[in-house]
Amino acid sequence: VAFLFTKRGEIFFEPGVDEEKLMEAALEAGAEDVEENEDGSFLVITTPDKSFGEVIDALKEAGLEAADAEVTMHPSTEADLDTDTAETVGKMVDLLEDLDDVQNVYTNANWPDE
């Protein structure tokens, strides 16, 4: 099912960061996109290879410190889960992560707030 995911770099910033400064620095460094979330936080999206490191370095030079940064697999579609299904899927993901041969687990589940 790897075709349902896209490998990309994601750099997360907490709410309160200077939006204009972030967008300018990120896009000049080669970021693909800057997304604002509903809570005022920002997600900078890059290619997983060369530009990921370059964008992080450029943002640090601009005085912007990321809360989190990683190269990950982003789902092309998401599946909304109800509370019962989310609990079951959560247990399955935990079991998969506990296996010694499993390095990473990615899901397209859209977890409910509860």
Side-chain angles (χ1 to χ4, degrees):
V1 294
F3 70 92
L4 294 173
F5 293 84
T6 304
K7 190 172 186 178
R8 71 182 195 180
E10 295 183 347
I11 307 165
F12 179 75
F13 289 87
E14 295 286 343
V17 69
D18 184 347
E19 177 181 4
E20 188 174 317
K21 185 176 180 181
L22 175 65
M23 287 191 138
E24 182 179 331
L27 296 176
E28 281 183 14
E32 290 185 352
D33 197 10
V34 178
E35 297 176 353
E36 183 175 7
N37 298 316
E38 292 177 11
D39 65 353
S41 62
F42 288 90
L43 183 65
V44 178
I45 300 168
T46 71
T47 57
D49 51 6
K50 182 180 170 186
S51 72
F52 178 70
E54 291 175 357
V55 172
I56 290 175
D57 292 342
L59 293 171
K60 284 182 183 177
E61 287 178 18
L64 300 165
E65 193 64 38
D68 188 30
E70 66 180 341
V71 173
T72 188
M73 298 294 283
H74 182 76
S76 56
T77 61
E78 292 186 343
D80 292 331
L81 303 178
D82 59 39
T83 306
D84 293 335
T85 305
E87 187 176 317
T88 304
V89 171
K91 288 178 184 177
M92 183 181 70
V93 168
D94 288 342
L95 290 171
L96 289 170
E97 289 175 339
D98 289 342
L99 295 173
D100 291 337
D101 293 331
V102 175
Q103 294 177 359
N104 297 306
V105 177
Y106 300 101
T107 179
N108 68 338
N110 190 8
W111 305 95
D113 291 335
E114 301 88 42

